[in-house]
């Protein structure tokens, strides 16, 4: 293998400048991670609550495939289910059985259900509300060595900038390596080294199969190779 040159290779280093907006976004991410679900026992379900439901969907007397689930979490008002579904669970209580009647959209991905009227027999197992932390000094003091929200923001800004700097350095290294590869010519491979790499790869794959209770031979037979 020959390298024509390795001197004078160039790459542009672009470092992102961390702003207060980046810090606020990171704080919001941390807050979402620390949000907990609190069981609701003294009222019925409201928009924004998460309900845990079983449901079974029917078109007429036909229970259609894919329309059944158990202990399915659903945030009311999220729009995750077909239009009209979530609204009919608002006001339900734990233990209620609710028949949710809907009409599938005409452009529904399952053509056999598109435009059809359906009913979902639902059972409400639980209602939960999200306890979202307030971003204040008390929240900040949960982190070691932090005494206030301003202190937390300052530390996050430093950490985010360090990460951005490292990311920029990594990208420069990758770019220079690609430039170096372009300078390589007359590449030859040692057959023994190539075979050794193949053997390592095959043995690694065989180990993965053994962990799943299958031999390499049985796998090859199953895939016809």
């Amino acid at each position: 293998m020959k390298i024509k040159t390795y001197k004078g290779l160039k790459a542009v280093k672009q470092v992102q400048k961390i702003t207060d907006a980046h810090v606020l976004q990171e704080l919001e991410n941390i807050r979402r991670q620390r949000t907990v679900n609190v069981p609701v026992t003294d009222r019925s379900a409201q928009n924004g609550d998460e309900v845990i439901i079983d449901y079974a969907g029917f078109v007429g007397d036909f229970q259609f495939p894919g329309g059944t689930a158990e202990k399915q979490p659903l945030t009311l008002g999220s729009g995750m289910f077909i239009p009209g579904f979530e609204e009919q669970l608002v006001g339900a209580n734990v233990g209620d059985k609710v028949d949710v009647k809907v009409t599938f959209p005409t452009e529904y991905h399952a053509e056999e259900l598109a435009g059809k009227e359906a009913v979902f027999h639902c059972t409400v197992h639980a209602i939960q509300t999200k306890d979202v932390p307030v971003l204040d000094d008390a929240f900040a003091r949960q982190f070691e060595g932090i005494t206030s929200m301003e202190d937390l923001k300052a530390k996050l800004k430093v950490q985010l900038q360090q990460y951005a700097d490292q990311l920029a350095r990594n990208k420069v290294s990758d770019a220079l390596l690609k430039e170096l590869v372009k300078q390589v010519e007359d590449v030859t491979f040692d057959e023994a080294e190539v075979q050794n790499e193949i053997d390592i790869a095959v043995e690694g794959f065989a180990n993965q199969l053994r962990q799943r209770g299958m031999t390499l031979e049985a796998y090859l037979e199953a895939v016809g190779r």
Side-chain angles (χ1 to χ4, degrees), residues 25-100:
Q25 182 58 56
E26 183 63 17
L27 278 172
E28 188 59 33
N29 293 339
I30 294 172
R31 177 161 70 166
R32 283 200 297 267
Q33 292 169 5
R34 291 175 176 256
T35 296
V36 295
N37 288 326
V38 179
V40 173
T41 58
D42 59 349
R43 62 169 175 79
S44 56
Q46 301 174 354
N47 266 329
D49 288 343
E50 181 180 80
V51 293
I52 309 298
I53 60 172
D54 294 345
Y55 62 82
F58 290 80
V59 172
D61 295 327
F62 172 66
Q63 184 174 355
F64 52 86
T68 303
E70 295 183 353
K71 303 295 177 63
Q72 173 71 42
L74 171 62
T75 299
L76 300 183
S78 65
M80 295 300 294
F81 279 28
I82 61 176
F85 189 105
E86 296 168 22
E87 295 87 334
Q88 296 178 58
L89 291 172
V90 173
N93 294 289
V94 175
D96 282 359
K97 296 184 182 298
V98 182
D99 284 347
V100 174

Side-chain angles (χ1 to χ4, degrees), residues 55-198:
Y55 62 82
F58 290 80
V59 172
D61 295 327
F62 172 66
Q63 184 174 355
F64 52 86
T68 303
E70 295 183 353
K71 303 295 177 63
Q72 173 71 42
L74 171 62
T75 299
L76 300 183
S78 65
M80 295 300 294
F81 279 28
I82 61 176
F85 189 105
E86 296 168 22
E87 295 87 334
Q88 296 178 58
L89 291 172
V90 173
N93 294 289
V94 175
D96 282 359
K97 296 184 182 298
V98 182
D99 284 347
V100 174
K101 299 177 181 179
V102 296
T103 301
F104 282 98
T106 54
E107 301 297 324
Y108 195 63
H109 61 85
E111 294 181 1
E112 68 277 11
L113 298 175
K116 298 285 183 64
E117 293 183 353
V119 58
F120 287 84
H121 302 304
C122 303
T123 301
V124 180
H125 290 290
I127 303 170
Q128 301 174 149
T129 187
K130 297 185 182 300
D131 183 9
V132 183
V134 177
L135 294 177
D136 55 13
D137 289 345
F139 177 86
R141 285 192 290 270
Q142 298 178 46
F143 301 89
E144 185 176 356
I146 303 298
T147 59
S148 68
M149 179 53 63
E150 290 306 310
D151 190 14
L152 178 58
K153 288 180 180 178
K155 185 171 183 178
L156 283 175
K157 194 167 189 176
V158 170
Q159 291 177 340
L160 290 172
Q161 191 62 63
Q162 289 174 341
Y163 176 77
D165 292 346
Q166 184 60 55
L167 188 61
R169 288 193 291 270
N170 292 345
K171 288 182 177 179
V172 167
S173 296
D174 290 344
L176 288 173
L177 182 58
K178 290 178 181 178
E179 290 300 312
L180 181 61
V181 169
K182 294 177 182 178
Q183 304 300 319
V184 176
E185 57 185 18
D186 297 332
V187 179
T188 58
F189 297 100
D190 183 280
E191 290 297 328
E193 291 182 0
V194 172
Q195 187 58 52
N196 184 58
E197 291 298 323
I198 292 173

